[in-house]
Amino acid sequence: MQTILTDFYTLQSYEKTESGSFTAQISLNKDHDIFKGHFPGNPVTPGVCMMQIVKELTEEFTGSSLFLKTASNVKFMAIINPFETPDLKIQLDITENEGDVKVKNTTSFGETIALKMSVNYQKLT
């Protein structure tokens, strides 16, 4: 498993619930170069980076390398400014079935939901 978002975020903690879902606490690195260009003076976490974080955490929790097959119901509901809200809670409901991994994700900070999406990955390993 390869992390392409080097130093972009830190996994602070995670727990697996009895239902098999995972709740992860991450912190964004507000000093990462991505925020210098997206956008100067008004940093916003790119949506594609949030989608990559979900993929990387799913790989970590399943122990598999994954390839994104489909994404549906991708809803960016709030701006994630790494200076104002660097600490995020990522809920992952993971279902594995014959080489596929389905994930329902909710990402939030405080009481604010920032991202909701459903994705389907193919296992590579």
Side-chain angles (χ1 to χ4, degrees), residues 38-107:
H38 198 269
F39 296 95
N42 186 25
V44 174
T45 304
V48 68
C49 292
M50 291 307 306
M51 293 178 73
Q52 181 65 24
I53 289 169
V54 169
K55 177 181 176 273
E56 290 179 4
L57 291 175
T58 302
E59 288 178 327
E60 176 76 22
F61 299 150
T62 62
S64 300
S65 292
L66 302 172
F67 177 80
L68 177 65
K69 288 174 58 175
T70 59
S72 60
N73 299 316
V74 179
K75 297 178 184 172
F76 296 99
M77 303 166 75
I79 291 173
I80 302 171
N81 179 321
F83 286 86
E84 295 174 3
T85 53
D87 299 321
L88 304 175
K89 176 182 170 184
I90 300 180
Q91 179 77 32
L92 302 171
D93 297 320
I94 301 171
T95 307
E96 297 185 58
N97 186 16
E98 296 182 17
D100 282 347
V101 177
K102 293 183 181 185
V103 180
K104 288 185 181 178
N105 163 252
T106 302
T107 299

